[in-house]
Amino acid sequence: MTTTPVRSLSPVLDTGRTTVAPALRDAVRTHLGPEMSRIAEYHFGWADAAGRPTGSWGGKMVRPTLALLSARAAGGTAEDGLPAALAMELVHNFSLLHDDIMDGDETRRGRATAWTVFGEPNAILAGDAMVTAATSVLLAAPAPGARAATVSLMAATQRMIDGQTADVAFEQRDDVTLAECVRMAGDKTGALLGCSCALGAELVGAEAGLVEHLSAFGEHIGLAFQLVDDLIGIWGDQDRAGKRIGADLRARKKSLPVVAALNSPGTEELRALYLGPEPLTETAVRHVADLVERAGGRDWAEREAAHRLTAAQEALAAARIPEDVRDAFLEVAGFVVGRRL
């Protein structure tokens, strides 16, 4: 077996991965059954398609790390928050398995996606198995808030699904409002990040006010992340972004900067190009990006991202938590958004 070095992300995230990784492997093997475990282990990067260990690790473990911090914020230990961390990572990867199928993505983390290796039905079932495993792990936790935390996780998961549903529906609509788009991004991206920041605290029985502040912090960070991601997708540096710039424009996605621009006055040319039936050439993609910027889409998204970061800071400042935990939350948030808070 060749061991691939695990890239350091940040001190807090590195500690989170070290804490969660062994328990996540155990949870997958315990709750998913042999066939679904094999697909999950491939998806996580632990094994190749034949089930042979790779010695590598694919995930950043952002959401489980936030869940561990959440438990500490409420006076518990990281170990107390471990069931919440496992549940968050399982639900997150359920969404990734299904997203890859929905988007037709053939690679993830530098290798073939699970559905291209094991087939769509098996990959769908593996995602389903992860959701049930997440529920089982959380309900079985010997903690006062196990049931309440499970209800919150399922509510956040439903919001994420609602957001994805809206995102798909937007592809067929020419009249998407900015308010609808912000709500979609809040559900699709913000719901799970908000849940991650609060789930450990709820699991250990924290008071409602603390849970609300932590959840608000995560939701604002989630929206800031989506805004920055949308900006990078149109105007970013391809080498630094790690993805093809302009892909969302080629697919005519209703991303936040685009919808902000489409709802501005005097954008007839943009609407004709972006909402028309003809495929966009590379020249047209660059022109669309310029039109979106001229219509104010870029400025609006940058201002809104800054506003969400400020709102996140304010929500965290209102939470009465230890300073080292507050600093750790901000470190992870800075990694997620790609800038220092």
Side-chain angles (χ1 to χ4, degrees), residues 36-59:
M36 295 298 102
S37 292
R38 187 164 72 94
I39 298 170
E41 289 181 2
Y42 173 85
H43 168 76
F44 279 115
W46 308 335
D48 64 15
R52 294 183 293 262
T54 61
S56 64
W57 181 265

PDB file of all heavy atoms in Angstrom, residues 36-59:
ATOM      1  N   MET A  36     -22.436  -1.340   0.375  1.00  0.00           N
ATOM      2  CA  MET A  36     -22.477   0.107   0.488  1.00  0.00           C
ATOM      3  C   MET A  36     -21.207   0.654   1.140  1.00  0.00           C
ATOM      4  O   MET A  36     -20.736   1.740   0.799  1.00  0.00           O
ATOM      5  CB  MET A  36     -23.703   0.548   1.294  1.00  0.00           C
ATOM      6  CG  MET A  36     -25.038   0.236   0.629  1.00  0.00           C
ATOM      7  SD  MET A  36     -25.268   1.071  -0.975  1.00  0.00           S
ATOM      8  CE  MET A  36     -24.921  -0.266  -2.140  1.00  0.00           C
ATOM      9  N   SER A  37     -20.622  -0.103   2.062  1.00  0.00           N
ATOM     10  CA  SER A  37     -19.351   0.309   2.669  1.00  0.00           C
ATOM     11  C   SER A  37     -18.260   0.392   1.627  1.00  0.00           C
ATOM     12  O   SER A  37     -17.418   1.295   1.654  1.00  0.00           O
ATOM     13  CB  SER A  37     -18.935  -0.674   3.770  1.00  0.00           C
ATOM     14  OG  SER A  37     -19.800  -0.611   4.870  1.00  0.00           O
ATOM     15  N   ARG A  38     -18.251  -0.564   0.696  1.00  0.00           N
ATOM     16  CA  ARG A  38     -17.224  -0.574  -0.339  1.00  0.00           C
ATOM     17  C   ARG A  38     -17.314   0.686  -1.202  1.00  0.00           C
ATOM     18  O   ARG A  38     -16.303   1.308  -1.525  1.00  0.00           O
ATOM     19  CB  ARG A  38     -17.384  -1.820  -1.213  1.00  0.00           C
ATOM     20  CG  ARG A  38     -16.256  -2.010  -2.230  1.00  0.00           C
ATOM     21  CD  ARG A  38     -16.270  -3.431  -2.758  1.00  0.00           C
ATOM     22  NE  ARG A  38     -17.409  -3.662  -3.645  1.00  0.00           N
ATOM     23  CZ  ARG A  38     -17.346  -3.541  -4.979  1.00  0.00           C
ATOM     24  NH1 ARG A  38     -16.214  -3.190  -5.560  1.00  0.00           N
ATOM     25  NH2 ARG A  38     -18.407  -3.787  -5.716  1.00  0.00           N
ATOM     26  N   ILE A  39     -18.536   1.078  -1.544  1.00  0.00           N
ATOM     27  CA  ILE A  39     -18.719   2.294  -2.346  1.00  0.00           C
ATOM     28  C   ILE A  39     -18.333   3.529  -1.537  1.00  0.00           C
ATOM     29  O   ILE A  39     -17.662   4.438  -2.042  1.00  0.00           O
ATOM     30  CB  ILE A  39     -20.177   2.404  -2.833  1.00  0.00           C
ATOM     31  CG1 ILE A  39     -20.511   1.208  -3.725  1.00  0.00           C
ATOM     32  CG2 ILE A  39     -20.404   3.718  -3.578  1.00  0.00           C
ATOM     33  CD1 ILE A  39     -21.977   1.095  -4.069  1.00  0.00           C
ATOM     34  N   ALA A  40     -18.747   3.568  -0.273  1.00  0.00           N
ATOM     35  CA  ALA A  40     -18.423   4.710   0.579  1.00  0.00           C
ATOM     36  C   ALA A  40     -16.917   4.841   0.777  1.00  0.00           C
ATOM     37  O   ALA A  40     -16.370   5.951   0.719  1.00  0.00           O
ATOM     38  CB  ALA A  40     -19.122   4.576   1.927  1.00  0.00           C
ATOM     39  N   GLU A  41     -16.232   3.741   1.005  1.00  0.00           N
ATOM     40  CA  GLU A  41     -14.790   3.792   1.214  1.00  0.00           C
ATOM     41  C   GLU A  41     -14.075   4.275  -0.046  1.00  0.00           C
ATOM     42  O   GLU A  41     -13.076   5.004   0.038  1.00  0.00           O
ATOM     43  CB  GLU A  41     -14.276   2.425   1.658  1.00  0.00           C
ATOM     44  CG  GLU A  41     -14.709   2.075   3.077  1.00  0.00           C
ATOM     45  CD  GLU A  41     -14.191   0.718   3.539  1.00  0.00           C
ATOM     46  OE1 GLU A  41     -13.467   0.062   2.763  1.00  0.00           O
ATOM     47  OE2 GLU A  41     -14.505   0.337   4.684  1.00  0.00           O
ATOM     48  N   TYR A  42     -14.584   3.901  -1.197  1.00  0.00           N
ATOM     49  CA  TYR A  42     -14.023   4.431  -2.441  1.00  0.00           C
ATOM     50  C   TYR A  42     -14.289   5.934  -2.536  1.00  0.00           C
ATOM     51  O   TYR A  42     -13.381   6.721  -2.842  1.00  0.00           O
ATOM     52  CB  TYR A  42     -14.630   3.717  -3.655  1.00  0.00           C
ATOM     53  CG  TYR A  42     -14.194   4.351  -4.961  1.00  0.00           C
ATOM     54  CD1 TYR A  42     -12.988   3.975  -5.563  1.00  0.00           C
ATOM     55  CD2 TYR A  42     -14.965   5.336  -5.565  1.00  0.00           C
ATOM     56  CE1 TYR A  42     -12.575   4.581  -6.736  1.00  0.00           C
ATOM     57  CE2 TYR A  42     -14.558   5.946  -6.748  1.00  0.00           C
ATOM     58  CZ  TYR A  42     -13.359   5.562  -7.330  1.00  0.00           C
ATOM     59  OH  TYR A  42     -12.947   6.174  -8.485  1.00  0.00           O
ATOM     60  N   HIS A  43     -15.526   6.331  -2.274  1.00  0.00           N
ATOM     61  CA  HIS A  43     -15.899   7.749  -2.369  1.00  0.00           C
ATOM     62  C   HIS A  43     -15.058   8.607  -1.419  1.00  0.00           C
ATOM     63  O   HIS A  43     -14.609   9.707  -1.780  1.00  0.00           O
ATOM     64  CB  HIS A  43     -17.388   7.910  -2.051  1.00  0.00           C
ATOM     65  CG  HIS A  43     -17.812   9.326  -1.836  1.00  0.00           C
ATOM     66  ND1 HIS A  43     -17.985  10.228  -2.864  1.00  0.00           N
ATOM     67  CD2 HIS A  43     -18.089  10.012  -0.682  1.00  0.00           C
ATOM     68  CE1 HIS A  43     -18.359  11.397  -2.368  1.00  0.00           C
ATOM     69  NE2 HIS A  43     -18.430  11.292  -1.057  1.00  0.00           N
ATOM     70  N   PHE A  44     -14.839   8.131  -0.196  1.00  0.00           N
ATOM     71  CA  PHE A  44     -14.045   8.880   0.770  1.00  0.00           C
ATOM     72  C   PHE A  44     -12.558   8.895   0.426  1.00  0.00           C
ATOM     73  O   PHE A  44     -11.803   9.690   0.981  1.00  0.00           O
ATOM     74  CB  PHE A  44     -14.234   8.305   2.175  1.00  0.00           C
ATOM     75  CG  PHE A  44     -15.490   8.760   2.862  1.00  0.00           C
ATOM     76  CD1 PHE A  44     -16.496   7.856   3.168  1.00  0.00           C
ATOM     77  CD2 PHE A  44     -15.668  10.088   3.225  1.00  0.00           C
ATOM     78  CE1 PHE A  44     -17.649   8.262   3.814  1.00  0.00           C
ATOM     79  CE2 PHE A  44     -16.824  10.500   3.871  1.00  0.00           C
ATOM     80  CZ  PHE A  44     -17.818   9.590   4.169  1.00  0.00           C
ATOM     81  N   GLY A  45     -12.142   8.011  -0.472  1.00  0.00           N
ATOM     82  CA  GLY A  45     -10.736   7.969  -0.860  1.00  0.00           C
ATOM     83  C   GLY A  45      -9.907   6.973  -0.084  1.00  0.00           C
ATOM     84  O   GLY A  45      -8.688   6.900  -0.269  1.00  0.00           O
ATOM     85  N   TRP A  46     -10.550   6.173   0.764  1.00  0.00           N
ATOM     86  CA  TRP A  46      -9.804   5.228   1.581  1.00  0.00           C
ATOM     87  C   TRP A  46      -9.382   3.986   0.808  1.00  0.00           C
ATOM     88  O   TRP A  46      -8.450   3.290   1.214  1.00  0.00           O
ATOM     89  CB  TRP A  46     -10.651   4.767   2.766  1.00  0.00           C
ATOM     90  CG  TRP A  46     -11.253   5.863   3.575  1.00  0.00           C
ATOM     91  CD1 TRP A  46     -10.797   7.145   3.703  1.00  0.00           C
ATOM     92  CD2 TRP A  46     -12.442   5.778   4.371  1.00  0.00           C
ATOM     93  NE1 TRP A  46     -11.619   7.861   4.518  1.00  0.00           N
ATOM     94  CE2 TRP A  46     -12.629   7.058   4.956  1.00  0.00           C
ATOM     95  CE3 TRP A  46     -13.337   4.753   4.666  1.00  0.00           C
ATOM     96  CZ2 TRP A  46     -13.701   7.329   5.812  1.00  0.00           C
ATOM     97  CZ3 TRP A  46     -14.402   5.021   5.514  1.00  0.00           C
ATOM     98  CH2 TRP A  46     -14.584   6.297   6.072  1.00  0.00           C
ATOM     99  N   ALA A  47     -10.114   3.666  -0.261  1.00  0.00           N
ATOM    100  CA  ALA A  47      -9.862   2.422  -0.992  1.00  0.00           C
ATOM    101  C   ALA A  47     -10.043   2.649  -2.480  1.00  0.00           C
ATOM    102  O   ALA A  47     -10.694   3.614  -2.908  1.00  0.00           O
ATOM    103  CB  ALA A  47     -10.823   1.321  -0.513  1.00  0.00           C
ATOM    104  N   ASP A  48      -9.471   1.744  -3.278  1.00  0.00           N
ATOM    105  CA  ASP A  48      -9.701   1.812  -4.719  1.00  0.00           C
ATOM    106  C   ASP A  48     -10.973   1.047  -5.065  1.00  0.00           C
ATOM    107  O   ASP A  48     -11.678   0.543  -4.168  1.00  0.00           O
ATOM    108  CB  ASP A  48      -8.486   1.296  -5.495  1.00  0.00           C
ATOM    109  CG  ASP A  48      -8.190  -0.181  -5.247  1.00  0.00           C
ATOM    110  OD1 ASP A  48      -9.068  -0.908  -4.712  1.00  0.00           O
ATOM    111  OD2 ASP A  48      -7.073  -0.617  -5.595  1.00  0.00           O
ATOM    112  N   ALA A  49     -11.281   0.949  -6.335  1.00  0.00           N
ATOM    113  CA  ALA A  49     -12.536   0.328  -6.750  1.00  0.00           C
ATOM    114  C   ALA A  49     -12.630  -1.134  -6.353  1.00  0.00           C
ATOM    115  O   ALA A  49     -13.725  -1.678  -6.195  1.00  0.00           O
ATOM    116  CB  ALA A  49     -12.712   0.473  -8.259  1.00  0.00           C
ATOM    117  N   ALA A  50     -11.481  -1.787  -6.180  1.00  0.00           N
ATOM    118  CA  ALA A  50     -11.466  -3.198  -5.785  1.00  0.00           C
ATOM    119  C   ALA A  50     -11.487  -3.374  -4.275  1.00  0.00           C
ATOM    120  O   ALA A  50     -11.476  -4.504  -3.782  1.00  0.00           O
ATOM    121  CB  ALA A  50     -10.238  -3.887  -6.376  1.00  0.00           C
ATOM    122  N   GLY A  51     -11.506  -2.275  -3.548  1.00  0.00           N
ATOM    123  CA  GLY A  51     -11.531  -2.347  -2.092  1.00  0.00           C
ATOM    124  C   GLY A  51     -10.163  -2.360  -1.439  1.00  0.00           C
ATOM    125  O   GLY A  51     -10.059  -2.513  -0.219  1.00  0.00           O
ATOM    126  N   ARG A  52      -9.105  -2.184  -2.231  1.00  0.00           N
ATOM    127  CA  ARG A  52      -7.751  -2.178  -1.667  1.00  0.00           C
ATOM    128  C   ARG A  52      -7.462  -0.822  -1.029  1.00  0.00           C
ATOM    129  O   ARG A  52      -7.726   0.217  -1.640  1.00  0.00           O
ATOM    130  CB  ARG A  52      -6.715  -2.468  -2.752  1.00  0.00           C
ATOM    131  CG  ARG A  52      -6.804  -3.873  -3.340  1.00  0.00           C
ATOM    132  CD  ARG A  52      -5.676  -4.090  -4.355  1.00  0.00           C
ATOM    133  NE  ARG A  52      -5.860  -3.227  -5.520  1.00  0.00           N
ATOM    134  CZ  ARG A  52      -6.419  -3.633  -6.661  1.00  0.00           C
ATOM    135  NH1 ARG A  52      -6.849  -4.879  -6.788  1.00  0.00           N
ATOM    136  NH2 ARG A  52      -6.540  -2.793  -7.681  1.00  0.00           N
ATOM    137  N   PRO A  53      -6.938  -0.811   0.217  1.00  0.00           N
ATOM    138  CA  PRO A  53      -6.653   0.466   0.890  1.00  0.00           C
ATOM    139  C   PRO A  53      -5.693   1.337   0.088  1.00  0.00           C
ATOM    140  O   PRO A  53      -4.735   0.839  -0.510  1.00  0.00           O
ATOM    141  CB  PRO A  53      -6.022   0.041   2.221  1.00  0.00           C
ATOM    142  CG  PRO A  53      -6.498  -1.357   2.439  1.00  0.00           C
ATOM    143  CD  PRO A  53      -6.619  -1.975   1.074  1.00  0.00           C
ATOM    144  N   THR A  54      -5.958   2.629   0.070  1.00  0.00           N
ATOM    145  CA  THR A  54      -5.102   3.563  -0.661  1.00  0.00           C
ATOM    146  C   THR A  54      -4.130   4.296   0.252  1.00  0.00           C
ATOM    147  O   THR A  54      -3.133   4.850  -0.212  1.00  0.00           O
ATOM    148  CB  THR A  54      -5.956   4.618  -1.386  1.00  0.00           C
ATOM    149  OG1 THR A  54      -6.700   5.355  -0.396  1.00  0.00           O
ATOM    150  CG2 THR A  54      -6.907   3.970  -2.370  1.00  0.00           C
ATOM    151  N   GLY A  55      -4.437   4.336   1.539  1.00  0.00           N
ATOM    152  CA  GLY A  55      -3.605   5.085   2.463  1.00  0.00           C
ATOM    153  C   GLY A  55      -3.779   6.585   2.345  1.00  0.00           C
ATOM    154  O   GLY A  55      -2.987   7.354   2.868  1.00  0.00           O
ATOM    155  N   SER A  56      -4.824   7.018   1.643  1.00  0.00           N
ATOM    156  CA  SER A  56      -5.047   8.454   1.456  1.00  0.00           C
ATOM    157  C   SER A  56      -6.362   8.866   2.095  1.00  0.00           C
ATOM    158  O   SER A  56      -7.149   8.036   2.539  1.00  0.00           O
ATOM    159  CB  SER A  56      -5.040   8.808  -0.030  1.00  0.00           C
ATOM    160  OG  SER A  56      -6.123   8.173  -0.690  1.00  0.00           O
ATOM    161  N   TRP A  57      -6.568  10.175   2.117  1.00  0.00           N
ATOM    162  CA  TRP A  57      -7.789  10.738   2.703  1.00  0.00           C
ATOM    163  C   TRP A  57      -8.246  11.890   1.834  1.00  0.00           C
ATOM    164  O   TRP A  57      -7.464  12.760   1.486  1.00  0.00           O
ATOM    165  CB  TRP A  57      -7.522  11.220   4.127  1.00  0.00           C
ATOM    166  CG  TRP A  57      -8.755  11.778   4.750  1.00  0.00           C
ATOM    167  CD1 TRP A  57      -9.143  13.078   4.802  1.00  0.00           C
ATOM    168  CD2 TRP A  57      -9.790  11.041   5.372  1.00  0.00           C
ATOM    169  NE1 TRP A  57     -10.363  13.197   5.420  1.00  0.00           N
ATOM    170  CE2 TRP A  57     -10.782  11.954   5.782  1.00  0.00           C
ATOM    171  CE3 TRP A  57      -9.998   9.675   5.627  1.00  0.00           C
ATOM    172  CZ2 TRP A  57     -11.943  11.560   6.427  1.00  0.00           C
ATOM    173  CZ3 TRP A  57     -11.157   9.291   6.273  1.00  0.00           C
ATOM    174  CH2 TRP A  57     -12.111  10.226   6.676  1.00  0.00           C
ATOM    175  N   GLY A  58      -9.521  11.904   1.470  1.00  0.00           N
ATOM    176  CA  GLY A  58      -9.966  12.892   0.503  1.00  0.00           C
ATOM    177  C   GLY A  58     -10.641  14.124   1.053  1.00  0.00           C
ATOM    178  O   GLY A  58     -10.607  15.167   0.427  1.00  0.00           O
ATOM    179  N   GLY A  59     -11.276  14.052   2.205  1.00  0.00           N
ATOM    180  CA  GLY A  59     -12.123  15.147   2.654  1.00  0.00           C
ATOM    181  C   GLY A  59     -11.414  16.164   3.524  1.00  0.00           C
ATOM    182  O   GLY A  59     -10.431  15.858   4.190  1.00  0.00           O
TER     183      GLY A  59
END
